[in-house]
Amino acid sequence: METSNTTWTNICAANDLTPNAGICALYNEQQVAIFLCKQTNNVYAVANYDPFGGANVLSRGLIGSTQDIIYVASPLYKQRFNLSTGECLDSPDHKLKTYNVRIENDQVQLKEAS
């Protein structure tokens, strides 16, 4: 449920997304990795910063799935992050920031997660 102070921000055109690949966008001065998953036909958005490699590279990671969990594997050290929750599947003490994301009027839109 949206409240009156909830604002969606246009990030890019929906056709800028490539299925099963990530793009990086700047949102509120933070790098965000955005993915369109072909398997689920859902769009996901997580922080682009890899806490293990110390670099903004997750948008270059590979999408995969295990036990019905859609994840991105870091291109550096291959840790897998759940795209819905941000949790690291390989090291539960690490978690990425996630963002609410949607496609509205052919635009990818983000807002802060609750």
Side-chain angles (χ1 to χ4, degrees), residues 15-36:
N15 63 9
D16 289 337
L17 300 177
T18 301
N20 294 334
I23 64 168
C24 180
L26 194 60
Y27 174 73
N28 289 342
E29 301 182 20
Q30 299 294 313
Q31 288 190 28
V32 178
I34 303 171
F35 300 91
L36 172 59

Side-chain angles (χ1 to χ4, degrees), residues 8-11 100-104 107-111:
W8 288 93
T9 302
N10 289 342
I11 299 300
N100 291 315
V101 60
R102 70 180 184 184
I103 295 178
E104 188 76 23
Q107 292 290 311
V108 176
Q109 299 180 331
L110 291 180
K111 73 174 181 175

Side-chain angles (χ1 to χ4, degrees), residues 68-86:
D68 297 326
I69 297 171
I70 305 299
Y71 64 81
V72 61
S74 170
L76 297 177
Y77 297 112
K78 311 303 183 238
Q79 283 84 5
R80 299 168 301 153
F81 295 92
N82 182 323
L83 285 173
S84 294
T85 66

